Amino acid sequence: MRFEVDIQKRMRCGKEEFLLCAAFETSDSALVLFGPSGSGKTLTLQAVAGILTPDSGCIRLDGRAVFDSAKGINVPARKRNVGYVFQDYALFPHLSVRDNIGFGLKPLLGRLTGADHARVAELMDVFGLTGVAGQKPSTLSGGQQQRTALARALATSPQALLLDEPLSALDQPLRIRMREELSRILRTFDIPMVMVTHDSDEAQAFAESVVVYRNGSVTGMHSAREMERNGHSLSEAIQAEVALAYE
């Protein structure tokens, strides 16, 4: 899948102003937006998902324009065919695990079909959630909450999966274990992914390409294939970016 982003967004909070200028494109299926907190990574992800509307620019997913200010295109989030996992998972507290996963499949004024129920059951089995299907999010462990959010995002068979720091809400031992679990899930579903993180270990674990952010702008992009072709590694590039960001 090809991701093409070239957007600008000016935001204000009191007297503070933040300008996002993000431009990159890649055909790699595992893309990481990497940089310090507050550098514009999540805003970019929200723009791709349709949660945030840029002031200008364009966004194309596999050649399809989902946003183009010059042409007046702004496809609603629900029609962009992407799955989104929020940093805090954003599970519905009053719904069970089963109902959270099936939420995106349910018509506005209707019920799930037999095929939809089968899809939910399949996902609960894949994610190891069948035993907690009737429980509410507040009774789940951090890992179970994350798996529920991932299952919900994948229920509609999206074209791409967008992950906003999916491991940051977990403590360190669980984060390491869930990093391996997330890698397994992504391989199982074979779905293109864009992940936001400021953790260099996560960037190295998941990325085929890394887009580097600083102060609202994209300052560089590194492809694992190109780095290897030139006798270098993506890990080296990421560590160098970390040193530059915090020097």
Side-chain angles (χ1 to χ4, degrees):
M1 180 175 179
R2 187 162 188 80
F3 298 98
E4 299 174 71
V5 174
D6 186 355
I7 56 173
Q8 299 78 43
K9 178 70 174 180
R10 190 179 301 274
M11 306 185 74
R12 287 185 177 276
C13 182
K15 294 182 179 180
E16 298 295 321
E17 184 176 276
F18 181 84
L19 178 61
L20 173 68
C21 294
F24 58 85
E25 57 182 81
T26 181
S27 294
D28 285 333
S29 60
L31 179 64
V32 169
L33 310 185
F34 176 72
S37 296
S39 56
K41 307 181 302 296
T42 293
L43 293 177
T44 302
L45 200 72
Q46 291 174 346
V48 172
I51 300 171
L52 176 79
T53 301
D55 296 329
S56 60
C58 60
I59 301 170
R60 293 185 179 86
L61 304 179
D62 233 12
R64 175 196 177 207
V66 294
F67 176 79
D68 191 322
S69 59
K71 297 180 179 179
I73 298 172
N74 189 14
V75 177
R78 66 184 180 279
K79 294 184 177 181
R80 294 198 180 188
N81 195 24
V82 295
Y84 195 104
V85 177
F86 293 87
Q87 185 174 343
D88 61 358
Y89 309 138
L91 298 173
F92 299 108
H94 62 293
L95 297 182
S96 67
V97 168
R98 180 187 294 107
D99 291 338
N100 263 286
I101 295 172
F103 183 83
L105 295 170
K106 187 177 180 180
L108 186 60
L109 298 174
R111 297 183 178 181
L112 296 182
T113 65
D116 292 334
H117 282 295
R119 174 65 171 167
V120 172
E122 175 191 15
L123 286 166
M124 288 193 298
D125 181 55
V126 169
F127 284 87
L129 295 167
T130 304
V132 295
Q135 293 182 211
K136 303 291 177 59
S138 61
T139 69
L140 304 177
S141 68
Q144 289 170 329
Q145 290 180 19
Q146 186 207 52
R147 293 200 298 274
T148 301
L150 281 165
R152 181 178 65 183
L154 291 165
T156 58
S157 301
Q159 184 181 19
L161 185 62
L162 310 181
L163 305 171
D164 186 5
E165 303 206 39
L167 305 177
S168 65
L170 307 176
D171 58 39
Q172 188 64 19
L174 182 57
R175 184 182 303 180
I176 294 172
R177 182 162 65 85
M178 289 307 298
R179 187 184 300 156
E180 298 172 354
E181 178 72 5
L182 180 57
S183 294
R184 181 189 67 80
I185 289 166
L186 292 171
R187 288 195 302 271
T188 298
F189 286 89
D190 190 25
I191 183 171
M193 171 207 78
V194 182
M195 175 188 287
V196 164
T197 185
H198 60 264
D199 186 305
S200 59
D201 291 335
E202 289 174 17
Q204 293 174 57
F206 293 103
E208 291 179 9
S209 281
V210 172
V211 178
V212 181
Y213 279 73
R214 198 162 301 129
N215 300 322
S217 297
V218 171
T219 59
M221 184 170 181
H222 305 287
S223 164
R225 283 178 293 187
E226 291 180 9
M227 297 291 293
E228 185 175 343
R229 192 179 301 124
N230 294 324
H232 301 289
S233 72
L234 187 59
S235 176
E236 292 172 344
I238 291 171
Q239 293 304 321
E241 293 290 353
V242 170
L244 287 171
Y246 296 102
E247 66 181 1

